[in-house]
Amino acid sequence: MTGGEALVAGLAAHGVDTVFGIPGTHSLPIYPYLRKYRIRHVLTRHEQGAGYAADGYARVSGRPGVVLTTTGPAILNAVAAAAQAYSDSVPVLFVSPAMPVDHPGRGNGLLHEVKDQRAAMAAVTAGSHRVRSVGEIPVAVAQAFADLRTGRPRPRHLDLPLDLLDRSEDVRAVRPIHVAVTPPDGKSIGAAAGILAAARRPGVIVGGGVRHAADELRRLVELLQAPVISSTNGKGILPYDHPLSLGAGLHRAAVRDFVEDCDVVLAIGTELAPADLFYGGLTFSGKLIRVDVDPAQLLTNASPDLSIVADASIALDALSATLQPKGSQRERADSWRRRVGDQARTEGSRWLSIVDGIASAIGRSGVVAADNAMVCYYGALSNLPGYRPGCFLFPTGLGTLGYGLPAAIGAKLAEPDTPVVAIEGDGGLMFSVAELATAAQLRLPLPVVVVDNGGYGEIRREMAERGDPVHAVDLDRPDFPALATALGCHGVSAGGDIGPLVATALAADRPTLIHVRDDAG
């Protein structure tokens, strides 16, 4: 095989059926083999968009997303997306050609030359691997997928010297490596079960590390009769209408009160990160038990009374096997559910009509890809019902802009029959507005709800709150529906309930931009 075919054969051997990217001069030796191995190539309009689309694809499908770019500026365009995937623990493989094996250490001006491309990617991913021969390529692919599927899922980068891609060697694809999951320590499980059994007011906090363990979580919390609050990335793991669900969003005062009231809190697969806790950390007046696949995470942001290093599904199963059912605590759960929910509705009241309209259109199976916009983190995060893991895609930790639209494209390609909606602010949309053309070319029935407050509303608010002069945040309002039409989409302006517009867009023959003017600032 050539190096180009060795790469594609390796991806196919690991179940890859879709890659996102843009071809370039140095990546051409890879492209003839995508069709041979039946891998769909999704042509985005910018490599950052390719990265966000692969991120959305991975979050919804549960499989690693793959980004394929050319050398230098192309892979550097994807750096923000790689950093976002790292921040939110999303398995995405970034693949790019690189300078030749024997390229001069100080450079010679070759096209797309970068001083140290691998180091740039290593800085924002869990690791960047530069191969040295064609024979190493299938091994490197297998190693990358083993890493992506082991422990805490984080992005990886493969750096392929461009002179290897047309070179042939006698190689074959390496089959996937089966990675056994280490069971949790039995003594730790027993100790945790003892603490939980004795608890009178237990509570549970879940994060994105529990996305694959929804059934195991439900069994345990029903045994414990413990109310559950989720982080942003944990939204929907316990369905919104489950009687023990307090919804999503760790930042509200009512959630802090709930945590302080608990005599035991079980935190599973969550960083308890400042990015989730807008107004300061949580106070644990009772015992704290933490479960995480990442040992270092167990001591970050809050020190537990007991820690368990384990995959969430195995740990939850082990705890459930040890515990006996508790008596119903329905009254306590109902009380906290009302209190947390009422506060969420009050704090997000400005955007409730938008959120409720989207909820009515997408039903229980829907997925919303959100950008860093006020309508998303103040409105949709806590008030949009979520009924499934991966129902709310949001760039939490890194806090990038431009994520929502391309992530929605990736999600829709991962699950074509699922209702998917993107929510954008007017500022964030302009970071990736060209991806409307990508969605149009793919003929995706994708509603893109743009809530337009005439600028960077959150920064405007923070400037005013500081007592600083408010400037450099206002944006002229383009004709967003006309822009969408020019890029091959439908474009409409909303004057009232957006639910019917979203429902119509979900059945359309192409994407639909729904412009909502928000004059509250």
Side-chain angles (χ1 to χ4, degrees):
M1 295 183 184
T2 65
E5 182 172 9
L7 168 68
V8 178
L11 295 176
H14 286 79
V16 174
D17 59 11
T18 303
V19 299
F20 300 86
I22 302 173
T25 299
H26 291 162
S27 63
L28 290 180
I30 297 169
Y31 275 76
Y33 301 102
L34 293 175
R35 286 188 176 180
K36 176 179 178 179
Y37 289 89
R38 299 181 181 178
I39 294 179
R40 169 178 54 180
H41 181 274
V42 178
L43 179 63
T44 59
R45 298 307 186 263
H46 192 280
E47 289 88 359
Q48 190 174 114
Y52 294 146
D55 178 301
Y57 180 93
R59 295 196 202 204
V60 170
S61 71
R63 304 190 303 275
V66 179
V67 177
L68 175 60
T69 79
T70 195
T71 328
I75 189 61
L76 294 183
N77 280 343
V79 162
Q84 184 61 64
Y86 182 90
S87 179
D88 280 351
S89 301
V90 180
V92 179
L93 179 62
F94 291 81
V95 182
S96 67
M99 292 295 100
V101 172
D102 60 355
H103 191 66
R106 298 189 65 159
N108 63 0
L110 185 64
L111 178 67
H112 299 331
E113 182 181 83
V114 172
K115 180 180 177 182
D116 195 338
Q117 175 178 292
R118 190 205 61 77
M121 292 305 293
V124 295
T125 64
S128 175
H129 180 185
R130 179 174 169 86
V131 304
R132 303 291 178 177
S133 68
V134 173
E136 188 184 354
I137 292 175
V139 175
V141 171
Q143 290 170 334
F145 274 88
D147 289 334
L148 290 166
R149 292 168 172 159
T150 304
R152 187 173 185 174
R154 276 180 155 162
R156 296 267 168 179
H157 173 241
L158 284 183
D159 206 51
L160 307 178
L162 62 91
D163 55 329
L164 299 182
L165 297 180
D166 271 326
R167 188 179 300 174
S168 294
E169 291 184 19
D170 184 12
V171 299
R172 64 180 62 186
V174 175
R175 298 180 65 180
I177 301 168
H178 175 71
V179 181
V181 181
T182 304
D185 174 64
K187 289 184 178 179
S188 297
I189 290 292
I195 294 170
L196 291 167
R200 299 180 63 188
R201 299 183 309 281
V204 176
I205 302 174
V206 297
V210 193
R211 276 192 294 248
H212 64 296
D215 291 340
E216 293 88 342
L217 174 71
R218 182 198 290 259
R219 282 196 294 272
L220 180 65
V221 299
E222 288 176 353
L223 283 172
L224 293 173
Q225 287 296 293
V228 179
I229 185 74
S230 80
S231 71
T232 305
N233 286 332
K235 184 179 175 75
I237 294 173
L238 188 69
Y240 177 82
D241 55 357
H242 191 284
L244 292 171
S245 173
L246 305 185
L250 304 182
H251 59 283
R252 297 187 307 281
V255 172
R256 294 198 297 275
D257 292 342
F258 165 70
V259 170
E260 284 193 51
D261 178 69
C262 293
D263 58 355
V264 178
V265 172
L266 175 63
I268 317 160
T270 174
E271 294 178 307
L272 299 174
D276 278 309
L277 300 162
F278 305 171
Y279 309 120
L282 300 173
T283 299
F284 298 94
S285 56
K287 291 184 180 297
L288 172 63
I289 303 170
R290 296 189 72 173
V291 178
D292 206 287
V293 74
D294 180 358
Q297 189 56 56
L298 292 167
L299 299 175
T300 303
N301 295 319
S303 296
D305 296 279
L306 178 65
S307 58
I308 300 173
V309 180
D311 176 84
S313 63
I314 296 177
L316 291 168
D317 259 348
L319 287 170
S320 294
T322 308
L323 289 163
Q324 296 297 316
K326 285 183 178 286
S328 174
Q329 295 193 25
R330 184 65 179 266
E331 185 175 339
R332 173 175 177 254
D334 286 348
S335 174
W336 281 113
R337 183 177 169 85
R338 285 192 301 271
R339 186 171 169 182
V340 172
D342 288 349
Q343 190 175 97
R345 301 286 286 185
T346 299
E347 292 181 356
S349 59
R350 175 173 149 192
W351 301 277
L352 284 183
S353 62
I354 298 170
V355 173
D356 291 346
I358 293 171
S360 69
I362 63 175
R364 296 183 66 87
S365 64
V367 170
V368 168
D371 214 333
N372 251 305
M374 299 173 83
V375 63
C376 298
Y377 45 78
Y378 292 134
L381 167 57
S382 295
N383 292 298
L384 182 77
Y387 301 100
R388 52 167 284 179
C391 65
F392 188 68
L393 314 183
F394 185 74
T396 308
L398 191 70
T400 186
L401 283 170
Y403 173 86
L405 169 58
I409 293 171
K412 187 64 178 177
L413 292 172
E415 291 189 5
D417 296 329
T418 293
V420 177
V421 176
I423 311 179
E424 291 275 1
D426 55 312
L429 176 68
M430 297 305 289
F431 278 62
S432 57
V433 69
E435 302 308 339
L436 285 173
T438 301
Q441 185 169 346
L442 293 166
R443 290 293 185 264
L444 300 181
L446 179 66
V448 181
V449 179
V450 181
V451 181
D452 178 2
N453 59 16
Y456 299 107
E458 175 64 16
I459 307 307
R460 181 192 290 136
R461 183 193 68 79
E462 291 179 14
M463 285 180 172
E465 192 175 75
R466 287 168 52 90
D468 294 341
V470 176
H471 70 121
V473 292
D474 295 327
L475 297 170
D476 287 344
R477 284 179 156 128
D479 186 339
F480 281 109
L483 175 58
T485 301
L487 292 172
C489 306
H490 298 299
V492 298
S493 294
D497 179 11
I498 71 167
L501 292 175
V502 174
T504 298
L506 288 168
D509 62 343
R510 66 191 71 182
T512 303
L513 185 147
I514 301 169
H515 181 234
V516 182
R517 190 174 175 117
D518 177 10
D519 291 320

